Amino acid sequence: MNFDIARKKMVQDQIMARGVTDRRVLDAMMKTPRHIFVQEAMAAQAYSDSPLPVGEKQTISQPYIVALMTELLELNGSEKVLEIGTGSGYQTAILAALADRVYTIERIRPLALRARKCLDSLRMFNVMLRINDGEGSPVGWEDEAPFDAIIVTAGAPAIPDVLTDQLSPGGRLVIPVGNEFEQRLLKIVKNDDGTLETFASIGCRFVPLIGKQGW
Ligand code: SAM
């Protein structure tokens, strides 16, 4: 299988065709080898239009969802970004290509270790990864706050105020919020005076966010 051709087709047919236009996001998705983030036996499906299992009952998100969530973060390259839910590390790699520094937290050790290996193999040394077993989480990354952008890649019952507290003025939080079976993607913008504005995007379905402000 030619992964370069599959990746180009993924970007054109799944992402651009659905309206993602941010050139930097499209370039990052064109360049990042998604097949190294899935289990070897699933490499041939890595560019298909769906989420895939990555072990530990978790998934790598659908390429379009990764692109859309990243576009909603409005990254220009200067940002400090927090990600809750490293999973395979694929979304992390896209963020690392588009921002200055990425702080990512995963609760499942084997996934975190595998993600670290993949990111290191791509020389993505601007990623700081922390394993947090979910006890009392999401707590964000208080000692590195505030963040210009925060992304949560698991479904939450409500917007965690511990995360909006860690946003800088002008910062953006993108998070799926709903019940355990379906959610809506929300973008929360923190205004300069500290007030929050919420914008609703598409419906989606994520694995649950575990912890105090999750399930
Ligand atoms: N963006 C990832 C990717 O590209 O592979 C997909 C992430 S997967 C849908 C969600 C991840 O969030 C899982 O790996 C899960 O273990 C993790 N997770 C759930 N609750 C968490 C929490 N409170 N803190 C950190 N990670 C959490």
Side-chain angles (χ1 to χ4, degrees):
M1 173 164 191
N2 185 321
F3 291 124
D4 292 342
I5 293 176
R7 193 158 55 246
K8 195 167 176 198
K9 217 169 139 32
M10 171 192 86
V11 172
Q12 285 172 348
D13 300 354
Q14 301 171 33
I15 298 174
M16 294 171 77
R18 289 191 177 109
V20 174
T21 56
D22 185 325
R23 196 64 250 172
R24 296 182 72 244
V25 174
L26 298 173
D27 285 348
M29 302 232 14
M30 196 76 94
K31 284 183 195 143
T32 307
R34 183 172 162 94
H35 58 277
I36 71 164
F37 292 91
V38 303
Q39 290 164 339
E40 229 173 303
M42 303 210 93
Q45 292 164 62
Y47 298 96
S48 61
D49 192 11
S50 63
L52 294 172
V54 289
E56 310 287 340
K57 296 188 185 149
Q58 305 302 321
T59 51
I60 180 173
S61 305
Q62 181 190 18
Y64 167 60
I65 290 287
V66 173
L68 177 62
M69 290 178 86
T70 311
E71 182 171 65
L72 289 170
L73 291 174
E74 295 177 69
L75 303 174
N76 64 29
S78 65
E79 297 84 0
K80 190 172 176 183
V81 180
L82 173 67
E83 178 189 42
I84 308 288
T86 318
S88 69
Y90 174 67
Q91 170 79 72
T92 320
I94 300 294
L95 297 171
L98 295 173
D100 183 38
R101 272 167 296 159
V102 181
Y103 294 80
T104 184
I105 307 176
E106 173 54 53
R107 56 182 293 275
I108 300 176
R109 178 174 293 272
L111 290 183
L113 297 180
R114 190 177 186 283
R116 179 80 264 175
K117 266 193 191 159
C118 293
L119 293 162
D120 286 351
S121 75
L122 297 176
R123 306 186 63 75
M124 294 195 143
F125 302 129
N126 60 339
V127 174
M128 273 53 71
L129 192 153
R130 175 181 272 184
I131 300 169
N132 181 321
D133 69 3
E135 272 301 303
S137 70
V139 290
W141 201 315
E142 221 165 46
D143 36 338
E144 286 294 345
F147 296 94
D148 304 301
I150 302 180
I151 179 170
V152 181
T153 66
I159 300 167
D161 49 16
V162 70
L163 294 182
T164 53
D165 287 350
Q166 291 182 26
L167 269 185
S168 54
R172 289 81 58 199
L173 163 66
V174 173
I175 179 169
V177 175
N179 60 37
E180 282 172 273
F181 308 103
E182 53 179 359
Q183 303 93 35
R184 182 149 300 269
L185 213 49
L186 300 182
K187 172 176 177 173
I188 298 99
V189 178
K190 188 180 245 185
N191 295 318
D192 289 343
D193 62 4
T195 56
L196 300 173
E197 272 183 272
T198 301
F199 304 90
S201 180
I202 63 167
C204 54
R205 184 176 180 167
F206 276 82
V207 296
L209 181 73
I210 305 297
K212 228 183 203 170
Q213 295 208 11
W215 296 100

